Every structure is written in structure tokens, then in C-alpha cells.
Amino acid sequence: MPEISAGILLHRTRPSGRELLLVHPGGPFWARKDAAAWSIPKGLIDPGEDREAAARREFSEEVGAVPDGALLPLGAFRLSSAKQLVAFALEGDFDPQALVSNSFEMEWPAHSGRRQSFPEVDRAAWFGLAAAREKLHLGQRPLIDALLAAVER
């Protein structure tokens, strides 16, 4: 059975058009990656946890803010890692300068025996739709079309 993650695609409307909040993963593997490296705030659903509650918890852990408002279901998406992502949309705002992320620990440099701590997310930014399509992981790009279909209903 594949692992299931839940996440929130925060979006807002500006005079220049719709913008999406994306986050960049922290740690040495992602440090120099940009195109197809960004994500929505998301993470694994705990056993027995409600999907919406998991999406809010993960957003809070990765961004440092608890999103208020009704979540709009966008559906389930298969990611390249064989995980499944259950995504929700939420219209709102967030100041990327206010980012506060949980951290994780790993051996770094590899095979050195030393452990270092890194933020789960090292930065957040707002992107227009075209830029978001380039920044998002390939498996998350369908979220943009799902969002547009959902908000245009």
C-alpha cells in the first residue's frame, strides 16, 4: 500500500493574476536545485488521522502558520515516489519572510559519521501560474489544473 501524504495549496489573487505559495525543501540534496524542486507544504498522514487535519498539521510544521478557512478538496495525485498526495486548496495569504519550519537530522557529509540538522523547508515564495508549473515537482504540476477547475466552478 503506498504512503499517503496530505497538503495544502495556498493561493491568492493579485492584479497580475493568481499566485501559489510553494516551499523549497531544505537539506544538502536540494540546496542547488530549483526547477522541479519546489512543493506545496505536505507530509505523511499519521495512521487514523483525518486527511484535512493532516494537511493543516503539515502546513503548520513546514511553514509555521496554521491555515484558517475551509479547505477545498482537489483530489488525490500519484507522485513519482509512488506516494499518493491528497491535496486541498485554500485561498489566503502568507508572508514568506515569516517562514518557520521544523527540522530534520541526517548524516552529513555522507559517510562522515557526523549528524547535522536542516530545516524541512528552507524558503517559501509566491509564484504566478506559469512559474509555478516550472518550479513544482513533476507529480505536483497537475495540482494547478485541479485548482483552476475547482475555483472556476
Side-chain angles (χ1 to χ4, degrees), residues 10-110:
L10 192 66
H11 63 100
R12 67 184 185 185
T13 304
R14 292 291 188 251
S16 59
R18 189 169 309 279
E19 294 181 335
L20 311 178
L21 181 75
L22 303 180
V23 296
H24 187 271
F29 178 77
W30 297 102
R32 292 187 174 93
K33 293 177 173 52
D34 189 59
W38 294 68
S39 175
I40 68 169
K42 62 169 183 49
L44 292 176
I45 298 172
D46 291 333
E49 186 177 22
D50 175 78
R51 292 174 175 197
E52 285 192 22
R56 289 182 193 278
R57 175 182 52 76
E58 285 295 333
F59 191 97
S60 176
E61 288 177 3
E62 292 192 354
V63 175
V66 178
D68 290 328
L71 297 181
L72 177 63
L74 295 179
F77 302 83
R78 185 172 174 85
L79 304 178
S80 58
S81 62
K83 290 181 183 175
Q84 186 179 38
L85 170 61
V86 176
F88 300 91
L90 179 64
E91 189 164 5
D93 206 356
F94 175 76
D95 177 2
Q97 299 300 315
L99 178 73
V100 177
S101 178
N102 279 359
S103 60
F104 68 95
E105 194 174 275
M106 65 181 279
E107 182 180 10
W108 188 256

